[in-house]
Amino acid sequence: MNNSAFSQSLLDKLGPEAVITTPADIAPWLSDFRGMYKGQAQAVVRPNTTDDVATCIALCADARVPVVPRGGNTGLCGGATPDTRSDNVILSLDRMHAIRSIDTIGNTLVAEAGCILGNLRRAAADVHRLLPLSLAAEDSCQLGGNLSTNAGGVNVVRYGMTRELVLGLEAVLPNGEIFHGLHTLRKDNTGYDLKQLLIGAEGTLGVITAAALRLYSRNDVRVIVLAAVDSPQQALHLFELLFERSGPRMQAFEFFTAECVDMVLAQTDGLRQPFADRHPGYVLIELADTVDEASLRTLVETVIGEALERELCADAAVSESIAQVNSMWRLREEISEAQRADGPHLKHDVSLPIASIPAFMASVGERIVKQQEGIRQIVFGHFGDGNLHYNLSRPLGAPRDFFAEHGARLTAEVLDEVMRYGGSISAEHGIGQLKREYFSRYKDPLDIRLMREIRKCFDPHGIMNPGKIF
Ligand SMILES: Cc1cc2nc3c(=O)[nH]c(=O)nc-3n(C[C@H](O)[C@H](O)[C@H](O)COP(=O)(O)OP(=O)(O)OC[C@H]3O[C@@H](n4cnc5c(N)ncnc54)[C@H](O)[C@@H]3O)c2cc1C
């Protein structure tokens, strides 16, 4: 069937409000957030029910038409961008944004995949509950994208990755069948946990249409500490102390270097150096509890006092107001945007055993400098999860296309070192198109073989998000 006949069959079955076929209207859907990839598609389909998703996929399966699931398009690996085949269908869940139920006894929230994450967090807060998944893109990304990338974010140190927040899933499989796994059970040991295969699958095993998520008690009392550290080793000891003393109250432990602050201050208005002196690194710690700000504050001040005394940090400030909380967080959250504004750069979202972060940073730093004088290492991330964004910006004055020549070599330096320390080449962003080559280079061949077999079992005709992961 040619493209126009196939698009017509989509229109006939799903109606004009759900199917876009005009090239000018399709154009905005063809590239990724970072502008690294551009593909083609014959149609964008925007169903508003699970049955319509199933109808769309069944049509695609019969005609062997590739389907590219799309959430908020904030993914950083090109996973939601089609390849250059002209027959691709982009399947957007943006019209499926209902919250189906909230249960404050079972502490669950059931929502459709097109819900914006920030809206879900606010809906949970309205009933005095916390949906802990939180990331800087939360007012654009969608639940389906979060599940499909197994997103991390700033609260993983306390609540785990997205995978750990999911109790049940509803999805449409690559043959159009509906997977009815939308349970809210806390315990269910009946064979393989199939939903876990769909989580983190980047749209290669089916389209997630809804999920049941765990809710937690709302932590309205928050205290933030910004600590200056002389080295990653100091940050590590500070992390150990905080973990021992504050237990589960620690819900973020973020790290960034002085170079990150310099870049943020150069690109952003309204922020300033956090301490009188510039320090090699900074740690942002968030502690939260349900009740009693005074005792949380006393605990934090005691621990930080001890940290200063034991020289586990060089300086520290404890937030006194909401405004301070916000500006401390902005220093961390503006880093990605500042680096984007600075120009083309290389992102490496990697993870390591937490205790080896200092040694890793020292040795990879040396390797990079040896390879390329003047390269700017913009290192930040979710330190408490062992997750670093080991990003590189071009030397000052270097041309904008600097990484076209040097990028692959520098990335290999970083990733080789990650593997040497027993880490992972993708901590929370996934593989998409960006890391496909590195995935096949660094992942254990047995893992890849099993993944290929699983993919074939779900999707024998290879229609789901082709060219992603492997
Ligand atoms: C400023 C900024 C900060 C970020 N911070 C973080 C962070 O701290 N932690 C983190 O983990 N990520 C972070 N990200 C990356 C991104 O926000 C996450 O990967 C997010 O989970 C992607 O969601 P999305 O809805 O935008 O998905 P998209 O980009 O649209 O899609 C991502 C992948 O999921 C697939 N997909 C989307 N919806 C579905 C569905 N319903 N069914 C099946 N497959 C689907 C797509 O095909 C694609 O492969 C950040 C991004 C930005 C721009």
Side-chain angles (χ1 to χ4, degrees):
M1 202 186 303
N2 65 28
N3 286 354
S4 67
F6 184 75
S7 294
Q8 190 57 50
S9 68
L10 289 172
L11 278 163
D12 293 344
K13 290 273 190 190
L14 301 168
E17 66 287 351
V19 184
I20 302 171
T21 55
T22 322
D25 295 332
I26 293 175
W29 299 80
L30 298 177
S31 43
D32 67 308
F33 175 84
R34 296 175 66 194
M36 296 177 75
Y37 301 101
K38 192 164 169 44
Q40 288 199 61
Q42 60 169 310
V44 177
V45 179
R46 302 172 60 222
N48 65 355
T49 65
T50 302
D51 286 343
D52 280 358
V53 174
T55 301
C56 171
I57 302 268
L59 284 173
C60 292
D62 283 349
R64 309 288 191 258
V65 165
V67 182
V68 183
R70 162 91 154 213
N73 199 32
T74 66
L76 299 172
C77 297
T81 309
D83 60 19
T84 51
R85 282 176 58 162
S86 67
D87 58 342
N88 287 311
V89 164
I90 296 172
L91 181 57
S92 168
L93 278 285
D94 64 338
R95 291 173 71 220
M96 289 186 61
H97 48 69
I99 294 179
R100 293 192 188 162
S101 64
I102 300 187
D103 170 1
T104 53
I105 305 274
N107 291 311
T108 57
L109 179 152
V110 179
E112 292 182 346
C115 289
I116 300 281
L117 174 61
N119 292 343
L120 294 179
R121 283 173 50 77
R122 285 183 279 276
D126 286 347
V127 292
H128 305 286
R129 295 293 180 276
L130 173 74
L131 175 61
L133 180 61
S134 175
L135 39 137
E138 67 191 39
D139 282 322
S140 313
C141 62
Q142 296 175 9
L143 177 59
N146 302 144
L147 295 158
S148 301
T149 55
N150 185 28
V154 292
N155 293 336
V156 173
V157 72
R158 180 165 183 177
Y159 298 99
M161 303 275 284
T162 299
R163 191 182 287 294
E164 286 149 84
L165 305 175
V166 181
L167 294 168
L169 276 191
E170 176 190 88
V172 176
L173 301 181
N175 63 359
E177 268 182 298
I178 298 175
F179 170 75
H180 294 286
L182 204 53
H183 314 294
T184 54
L185 303 173
R186 302 272 160 166
K187 292 187 162 185
D188 177 14
N189 273 350
T190 49
Y192 303 147
D193 190 351
L194 295 172
K195 69 174 180 301
Q196 292 296 351
L197 285 175
L198 287 147
I199 301 170
E202 301 188 45
T204 61
L205 301 182
V207 177
I208 296 171
T209 49
L213 305 172
R214 288 171 193 268
L215 296 180
Y216 290 82
S217 49
R218 202 168 106 172
N219 296 319
D220 285 338
V221 178
R222 284 200 301 164
V223 176
I224 314 285
V225 180
L226 187 64
V229 290
D230 291 332
S231 65
Q233 189 66 44
Q234 237 186 3
L236 195 68
H237 291 314
L238 187 59
F239 175 69
E240 196 180 10
L241 178 75
L242 258 298
F243 184 83
E244 272 170 25
R245 296 286 199 277
S246 67
R249 294 179 197 86
M250 179 168 62
Q251 63 180 29
F253 192 98
E254 301 286 306
F255 171 81
F256 44 99
T257 59
E259 290 73 18
C260 297
V261 175
D262 295 344
M263 196 169 264
V264 167
L265 299 187
Q267 301 290 347
T268 320
D269 292 331
L271 291 171
R272 55 186 176 79
Q273 280 288 353
F275 298 100
D277 296 324
R278 182 177 182 272
H279 295 268
Y282 301 92
V283 169
L284 188 147
I285 307 152
E286 179 170 298
L287 293 106
D289 212 338
T290 44
V291 282
D292 194 3
E293 175 160 358
S295 54
L296 183 64
R297 193 165 281 285
T298 305
L299 172 86
V300 171
E301 284 167 0
T302 309
V303 180
I304 293 302
E306 183 181 340
L308 283 164
E309 206 168 291
R310 289 172 52 191
E311 298 186 354
L312 305 184
C313 58
D315 206 344
V318 179
S319 64
E320 298 286 346
S321 64
I322 292 290
Q324 261 187 341
V325 166
N326 292 340
S327 69
M328 285 174 175
W329 263 115
R330 270 191 75 205
L331 265 187
R332 161 66 183 88
E333 289 193 327
E334 295 286 349
I335 299 170
S336 294
E337 188 46 40
Q339 197 174 21
R340 198 162 76 94
D342 179 81
H345 57 278
L346 288 183
K347 284 189 192 296
H348 304 112
D349 160 47
V350 301
S351 74
L352 296 143
I354 302 174
S356 52
I357 290 178
F360 164 79
M361 283 182 65
S363 62
V364 76
E366 229 170 78
R367 278 178 78 152
I368 295 291
V369 170
K370 234 184 246 167
Q371 281 286 329
Q372 197 68 53
E373 277 288 307
I375 198 98
R376 288 172 294 159
Q377 305 187 37
I378 305 299
V379 186
F380 60 99
H382 315 299
F383 191 100
D385 315 326
N387 179 186
L388 292 181
H389 300 310
Y390 206 99
N391 294 355
L392 303 178
S393 283
R394 65 199 199 285
L396 288 171
R400 283 181 71 81
D401 63 356
F402 172 85
F403 288 119
E405 189 185 335
H406 303 286
R409 190 168 43 88
L410 290 164
T411 291
E413 293 291 333
V414 176
L415 300 186
D416 281 354
E417 207 57 13
V418 166
M419 296 312 288
R420 206 164 75 77
Y421 280 90
S424 167
I425 62 158
S426 180
E428 59 175 12
H429 294 164
I431 302 295
Q433 311 185 43
L434 181 71
K435 294 191 174 177
R436 232 165 58 129
E437 179 198 334
Y438 303 112
F439 176 80
S440 60
R441 188 186 306 167
Y442 294 108
K443 194 82 183 167
D444 189 298
L446 174 64
D447 293 22
I448 296 183
R449 198 188 80 217
L450 289 172
M451 287 190 208
R452 281 190 190 283
E453 285 169 10
I454 290 167
R455 189 165 182 175
K456 198 147 192 205
C457 165
F458 273 72
D459 184 17
H461 304 303
I463 64 159
M464 287 306 308
N465 217 359
K468 311 297 159 47
I469 305 183
F470 50 80

